[in-house]
Amino acid sequence: VQLQASGGGLVQPGGSLRLSCAASGIKFIELMGGWYRQLPGKERELVASITRIGTKSYANSVKGRATVSRDDAKNTIYLQMNNLKPEDTAIYYCNGKTYGVSVDYWGRGTLVTVSS
């Protein structure tokens, strides 16, 4: 099983970007898909998640600015973030968590830097 994240980069405050996470070896529709981020010196925190049936949830810090989605045909989840702020600067990780006996799959992080 592999999760391949992409889409990070340098963005100006107020800008937007979309992160992608493609899965191989497993179907995202079978997982709880999620995006986490880790700021320097801090623990990894959940940013957004999407269940098998498409129920979405968001951290308060990104609510209204982020949208998580899934494309089953591409076996990929996305995180669209708008109105980015410097405090959104972090390494973003995609995650897939199995139901039942919980197993976590992680993608390699992708760095998002919000700076002018």
Side-chain angles (χ1 to χ4, degrees):
V1 176
Q2 282 192 327
L3 303 183
Q4 183 67 44
S6 60
L10 175 63
V11 185
Q12 290 189 340
S16 300
L17 58 72
R18 188 178 78 160
L19 305 180
S20 303
C21 179
S24 58
I26 199 163
K27 294 182 179 180
F28 254 125
I29 199 170
E30 299 172 356
L31 305 171
M32 165 84 81
W35 288 95
Y36 290 72
R37 67 186 181 187
Q38 189 163 21
L39 285 70
K42 296 193 175 182
E43 293 188 357
R44 199 172 292 186
E45 62 177 8
L46 178 63
V47 177
S49 64
I50 181 167
T51 69
R52 283 185 299 192
I53 61 171
T55 303
K56 303 172 185 181
S57 63
Y58 301 94
N60 287 334
S61 58
V62 303
K63 201 168 290 184
R65 302 187 295 121
T67 302
V68 61
S69 61
R70 188 181 68 224
D71 186 329
D72 294 335
K74 295 183 178 180
N75 203 22
T76 298
I77 62 170
Y78 303 94
L79 181 68
Q80 174 72 41
M81 292 195 66
N82 302 318
N83 190 23
L84 283 159
K85 304 176 181 180
E87 51 264 40
D88 293 318
T89 295
I91 299 174
Y92 285 71
Y93 298 89
C94 65
N95 170 268
K97 186 186 303 291
T98 59
Y99 292 88
V101 177
S102 182
V103 176
D104 279 291
Y105 300 103
W106 292 95
R108 291 174 62 181
T110 184
L111 177 63
V112 173
T113 303
V114 184
S115 175
S116 55

